Amino acid sequence: PAVVGWSISFAGCGFMGIYYVGVISCILQRFPRFIRDASTIYGASAGALMAAIITLGIPLGEWGFSPARKHKLGPLHPAYNLLQLVQESLLEKLPEDAHLRVSGKLSLSLTRVSDGRNLLVSQFDSREELIQALICSCFVPLYCGVVPFHSSQYYVDGAVSDNLPRCQLGRTITISPCAGESDLCPRASTLTFHEVRFNNVSF
C-alpha cells in the first residue's frame, strides 16, 4: 500500500548544501511524487533554502551564486557577501505569489535571539515576509553581520536551536549531507562506533 502523510526535513549544513542538489535531482528523476505529495517540507539554514526551492518547484538549474573561489580566502573573504547573494537570488527567482504557494506546506526553522528558542514558521503574508524568514533561517551569527528580524523580532540561523526540524516525528524523512543516522545521507567512509548529535543532527 502507498505511504501517505509523510514529511521531509532538510538539515542545516552551510556550504555542504550542494549535496542537496544531487539528492533532489535524483529524487525528481526517479520518484517526483515523494516531494510533490509530501504534507510538509521542513528546513533549517541552507536546508531551508532547498526546502523553499523544491516546494515552489523551481528548477534547480536556475540557482547559482557567484563563485567564492575567485577570492583568496574563498567565502571568508570580506568582499564575499553570501547573505546578499542569497537575498538577490531570492528576489530574482521567487514568483510574486510564492508566499501563497508555500504557506501551510513549507516550514522554516528560526532561532529567536531574545531567548534562544526555536520557532517554526509556516504561514507567510507576503513574498517579502517569506524572503525575510529565509534570510533569518540561514543567518549565521557573526559571519553574516547585523542580526535580521522577522515579524518585529530578531532571529538567526535555525540550526542554532533545531538543525533538523521535526525529525522525531513518525513518517518524517530526514536528509543531511553529514554521514550519520539521517534517512538520506552519505555513507561513512570508515567503520566507526561513535556518533555525535548536534541539535537533532546525527554525525
Side-chain angles (χ1 to χ4, degrees), residues 1 11 35 52 85 92 94-95 103 111 114 117 125 130 135 143 195:
I35 295 169
L85 293 171
E92 178 185 351
L94 294 193
S103 284
T111 302
S114 61
R117 297 191 65 172
D125 293 332
L130 169 61
I135 292 296
Y143 175 72
E195 179 204 11

Side-chain angles (χ1 to χ4, degrees), residues 7-12 20 40-45 47-48 51 107-110 118-121 137 158-159 161-169 172-175 199-201:
S7 297
I8 305 169
S9 185
F10 290 91
Y20 291 144
T40 308
I41 301 179
Y42 299 95
S45 197
S107 188
L108 306 178
S109 175
L110 310 179
N118 184 260
L119 175 71
L120 289 176
V121 181
S137 185
S161 55
D162 190 350
N163 200 24
L164 194 55
R166 295 296 190 259
C167 65
Q168 71 278 12
L169 297 182
T172 297
I173 292 88
T174 56
I175 308 176
N199 290 344
N200 291 334
V201 177

Side-chain angles (χ1 to χ4, degrees), residues 108-191:
L108 306 178
S109 175
L110 310 179
T111 302
R112 191 163 52 201
V113 172
S114 61
D115 57 9
R117 297 191 65 172
N118 184 260
L119 175 71
L120 289 176
V121 181
S122 59
Q123 295 295 326
F124 310 95
D125 293 332
S126 67
R127 177 175 177 266
E128 291 69 28
E129 184 178 318
L130 169 61
I131 291 173
Q132 193 62 40
L134 286 165
I135 292 296
C136 288
S137 185
C138 61
F139 184 95
V140 179
L142 301 180
Y143 175 72
C144 290
V146 180
V147 178
F149 65 93
H150 170 71
S151 297
S152 302
Q153 293 198 55
Y154 290 98
Y155 292 93
V156 294
D157 198 327
V160 173
S161 55
D162 190 350
N163 200 24
L164 194 55
R166 295 296 190 259
C167 65
Q168 71 278 12
L169 297 182
R171 291 187 175 173
T172 297
I173 292 88
T174 56
I175 308 176
S176 171
C178 303
E181 294 188 354
S182 294
D183 297 310
L184 296 175
C185 67
R187 292 182 178 177
S189 57
T190 59
L191 181 64

Side-chain angles (χ1 to χ4, degrees), residues 17-76:
I18 191 66
Y19 173 81
Y20 291 144
V21 176
V23 169
I24 295 306
S25 295
C26 181
I27 290 172
L28 289 174
Q29 182 180 28
R30 296 172 179 267
F31 187 36
R33 68 179 290 260
F34 172 73
I35 295 169
R36 185 185 66 237
D37 295 348
S39 59
T40 308
I41 301 179
Y42 299 95
S45 197
L49 296 175
M50 180 55 67
I53 291 168
I54 67 169
T55 302
L56 286 165
I58 299 174
L60 297 177
E62 292 186 11
W63 291 84
F65 302 115
S66 174
R69 287 190 297 266
K70 69 180 182 180
H71 301 295
K72 288 185 178 179
L73 296 176
L76 300 179

